[in-house]
Amino acid sequence: MEAATPPPGPLVVAISSRALFDLEESHRLFEREGIEAYQAYQREREDEVLAPGIAFPLVRKLLALNAAAPVGEGGVPRVEVILLSRNSSDTGLRIFNSIQHHGLDISRATFTSGAPTWPYVRPFGADLFLSANPESVRRALEHGIAAATILPAKAPAHRHNQLRIAFDGDAVIFGDESERVSREQGVEAFGRHERERAREPLSGGPFRGFLDALHRLQEAFPPGEDSPIRTALVTARSAPAHERVIRTLREWGVRLDEALFLGGRPKGPFLETFGADIFFDDSDENIASARSHVAAGHVPHGVANS
């Protein structure tokens, strides 16, 4: 008799305090005057609630999914958010006070007193790591963890209740082999390369595992317009290079609700139309286009970041 397949665990997202809250004033103080001034500043204001940061709406929507779907086996939530901070537990008191004030169901956290936070991502079993620290993100990616750099900013305006996540394809969901052909041999060679391999699945990129986990979470809800999660592929590819992408996702058994093949058009306006809560891309140029419209996470992976 075959053993029963264990139920999938929760989708786990690890996030830095600077991505979750607007800490830029105190961060500038730290850079200008040092750690002691920073510590005194946070202690004096530990009862002052921090304003939401760039990734706050994303986190709120993720945690809201626990109320919208039945919990997993044994009462395990569908989504868990972990806070990782370079603050000390002492100066981190203001952060936890702010978490409680905003009603965020975050109970697990690590405060490292200035040490890197990325080594704790894997022990927590995180599917995704969002941080304002580019070096932490790079190290996490090197260790096989889906990670992106979030440029700190105030939270964007609320637009809708549905969680909407958009991904670039090559070097994010997929490996960067095809992108290397494009950069090293040109667009015509890229098109020929993809036509010849249209039925050969692309390799998985650093965000394949997160995409799988997100897809499993989506399956806990009824499909269609009423689903609380909507996903999109937003890629510079165009026909005929689209076929390999479609066949790869079919081979993986992963659903993306929308697919935008833009043929090199700027991505920002399309992401705004989609209403992305966050967009992941490996290209600095695409991130710059996206950031003027939506929250964007830079994935420093692949040939574009060599």
Side-chain angles (χ1 to χ4, degrees):
M1 188 177 187
E2 292 186 8
T5 302
L11 176 76
V12 180
V13 175
I15 187 165
S16 72
S17 52
R18 283 181 66 206
L20 183 59
F21 291 118
D22 181 9
L23 283 160
E24 293 319 284
E25 182 179 348
S26 55
H27 184 70
R28 286 191 292 270
L29 176 70
F30 166 72
E31 292 184 323
R32 188 173 63 248
E33 300 184 27
I35 186 64
E36 291 186 6
Y38 174 86
Q39 290 172 338
Y41 180 93
Q42 295 294 18
R43 289 194 194 103
E44 290 167 3
R45 291 163 177 77
E46 65 184 29
D47 293 323
E48 293 181 16
V49 175
L50 290 163
I54 186 68
F56 184 95
L58 171 71
V59 167
R60 172 156 277 175
K61 288 183 181 183
L62 281 166
L63 291 171
L65 295 172
N66 287 326
V71 296
E73 190 169 308
V76 175
R78 295 288 182 181
V79 179
E80 183 174 10
V81 175
I82 311 293
L83 179 77
L84 301 181
S85 176
R86 288 181 178 240
N87 279 272
S88 66
S89 58
D90 183 37
T91 57
L93 186 58
R94 186 184 184 192
I95 295 169
F96 253 126
N97 287 343
S98 298
I99 286 171
Q100 292 167 1
H101 172 87
H102 289 290
L104 299 178
D105 186 14
I106 299 175
S107 59
R108 290 189 171 97
T110 295
F111 295 98
T112 64
S113 298
T117 58
W118 68 265
Y120 293 100
V121 177
R122 190 175 293 283
F124 275 121
D127 300 291
L128 175 67
F129 175 44
L130 301 176
S131 174
N133 186 299
E135 180 59 25
S136 288
V137 168
R138 284 185 179 276
R139 295 300 302 275
L141 283 167
E142 289 170 2
H143 286 77
I145 299 161
T149 307
I150 303 293
L151 185 67
K154 293 183 178 179
H158 177 79
R159 297 174 63 183
H160 46 70
N161 293 326
Q162 192 177 47
L163 173 64
R164 298 193 175 190
I165 299 180
F167 302 88
D168 179 35
D170 295 293
V172 178
I173 294 176
F174 311 119
D176 74 335
E177 301 93 332
S178 298
E179 190 168 325
R180 286 182 182 276
V181 173
S182 177
R183 287 178 175 268
E184 294 169 5
Q185 301 177 39
V187 175
E188 288 186 12
F190 167 78
R192 185 168 58 251
H193 180 271
E194 294 306 285
R195 284 194 301 272
E196 292 171 353
R197 293 164 177 78
R199 293 179 178 270
E200 178 184 319
L202 289 153
S203 65
F207 272 61
R208 179 180 175 178
F210 173 61
L211 180 63
D212 286 341
L214 186 63
H215 176 73
R216 290 195 304 270
L217 179 61
Q218 263 188 306
E219 290 186 317
F221 302 94
E225 292 184 1
D226 293 333
S227 173
I229 307 172
R230 191 164 185 83
T231 54
L233 172 71
V234 183
T235 174
R237 285 177 179 248
S238 58
H242 69 296
E243 182 178 353
R244 193 177 184 196
V245 167
I246 293 169
R247 291 186 179 278
T248 298
L249 294 172
R250 184 186 298 169
E251 174 78 15
W252 291 356
V254 170
R255 179 183 99 228
L256 283 166
D257 298 300
E258 299 188 24
L260 284 64
F261 297 96
L262 302 183
R265 294 287 296 273
K267 296 183 178 182
F270 294 91
L271 291 162
E272 183 171 22
T273 299
F274 173 67
D277 290 298
I278 194 165
F279 169 61
F280 298 107
D281 200 296
D282 65 306
S283 162
D284 282 318
E285 181 181 353
N286 289 335
I287 290 296
S289 173
R291 275 179 175 152
S292 60
H293 300 272
V294 301
H298 179 232
V299 182
H301 175 78
V303 64
N305 297 279
S306 296

